[in-house]
Amino acid sequence: MTLIISPYSDTPWEEVSGKEMWYKVKWFDGNKVETLYLDRGVWSMDVEVGRSSLLVFAFYPLGDMEPLGGFWEPGGKSHVWLSPEEGYFASMLISVAETYPMPVSNLSVKRLKEAVPDLGAIDRGAFVYSLIEGKLDKEKIPLYKKYKVPLDGVPKGKWVSLYSHSSSIVVSDVFEPGTVSLFPGVYHYISFERNLMLTVNLEEDGRYYTKISAPREW
């Protein structure tokens, strides 16, 4: 069986800039982790299914930005659509599979999503420990909470999120800068008017770091 793996759509950055991105791809084939690169304008790949186990895919825009993720299990459809909501969870599973492939290959993401529909809410550190130790209880999955990150010091204007699941930010002179509510992870926004990039790094304990820098070239 041949699978087609691709993002669900162009990113907001591509839509606003009119420029396509390249991707670093990491995927777990049920036995080992593979890495390849997709050139600009190439946003899908074909994979031959060789094992009756979970397959995990992560696409990293520009090589190291927050990933898109997706999964395939036996009996699944032949097209795997990648989403940002599942990106960090997929990336985490691939990292685990590099050392512990068996627990990942035996996992059913379909059943996991019946218990936790939003994979982005899963406490990844606690999940990894339970998975490796063989103590995973799908009825008691530890979850993150969202944290509010203040936008003090962010220059005014519209800051476009890399992905549409994380709303763009608008900072004005009239209202207070406000906050953005996020699960732990790293998030990027670009002000195309100012040619600046905002990076929000939110740790699992709620500590956060923000940085303004020149945007990545692509």
Side-chain angles (χ1 to χ4, degrees), residues 4-216:
I4 301 173
I5 320 299
S6 61
Y8 71 104
S9 70
D10 291 343
T11 68
W13 286 9
E14 291 171 304
E15 293 173 355
V16 174
S17 69
K19 297 185 295 183
E20 296 171 319
M21 292 182 171
W22 61 272
Y23 290 90
K24 175 183 176 181
V25 177
K26 296 191 73 173
W27 65 285
F28 174 59
D29 67 0
N31 181 48
K32 62 185 181 302
V33 175
E34 303 278 4
T35 302
L36 57 86
Y37 296 85
L38 299 181
D39 292 333
R40 293 177 185 172
V42 180
W43 60 287
S44 68
M45 58 181 280
D46 295 344
V47 171
E48 292 295 328
V49 177
R51 293 172 61 90
S52 296
S53 64
L54 176 69
L55 308 185
V56 188
F57 304 90
F59 279 30
Y60 301 82
L62 308 182
D64 59 0
M65 307 296 278
E66 52 264 42
L68 296 158
F71 312 90
W72 181 88
E73 295 182 44
K77 296 181 179 180
S78 61
H79 198 145
V80 177
W81 295 100
L82 306 175
S83 72
E85 292 89 346
E86 299 181 349
Y88 276 121
F89 190 78
S91 181
M92 176 270 292
L93 286 183
I94 290 171
S95 294
V96 173
E98 290 179 319
T99 306
Y100 303 98
M102 189 62 69
V104 177
S105 66
N106 291 332
L107 180 68
S108 172
V109 172
K110 180 179 179 181
R111 292 181 181 177
L112 180 63
K113 290 176 70 174
E114 291 174 355
V116 185
D118 186 354
L119 297 181
I122 293 176
D123 183 322
R124 295 187 290 275
F127 187 90
V128 167
Y129 175 79
S130 299
L131 182 65
I132 293 175
E133 294 295 318
K135 300 178 180 179
L136 186 63
D137 183 349
K138 295 185 179 64
E139 302 302 319
K140 298 180 181 179
I141 302 294
L143 302 178
Y144 289 135
K145 66 176 182 179
K146 283 190 173 183
Y147 292 96
K148 292 184 178 181
V149 178
L151 299 174
D152 299 334
V154 176
K156 69 175 182 179
K158 182 176 182 179
W159 296 82
V160 179
S161 172
L162 174 59
Y163 297 129
S164 57
H165 81 302
S166 176
S167 300
S168 295
I169 297 168
V170 178
V171 180
S172 72
D173 288 330
V174 179
F175 302 101
E176 293 294 323
T179 61
V180 59
S181 184
L182 302 167
F183 287 124
V186 180
Y187 301 86
H188 293 89
Y189 305 81
I190 287 182
S191 169
F192 287 93
E193 295 177 347
R194 293 178 175 270
N195 196 34
L196 292 173
M197 182 172 70
L198 167 66
T199 302
V200 177
N201 190 328
L202 178 59
E203 298 188 355
E204 293 187 356
D205 61 4
R207 289 182 296 170
Y208 64 89
Y209 307 89
T210 59
K211 181 176 71 173
I212 300 292
S213 62
R216 297 283 299 276

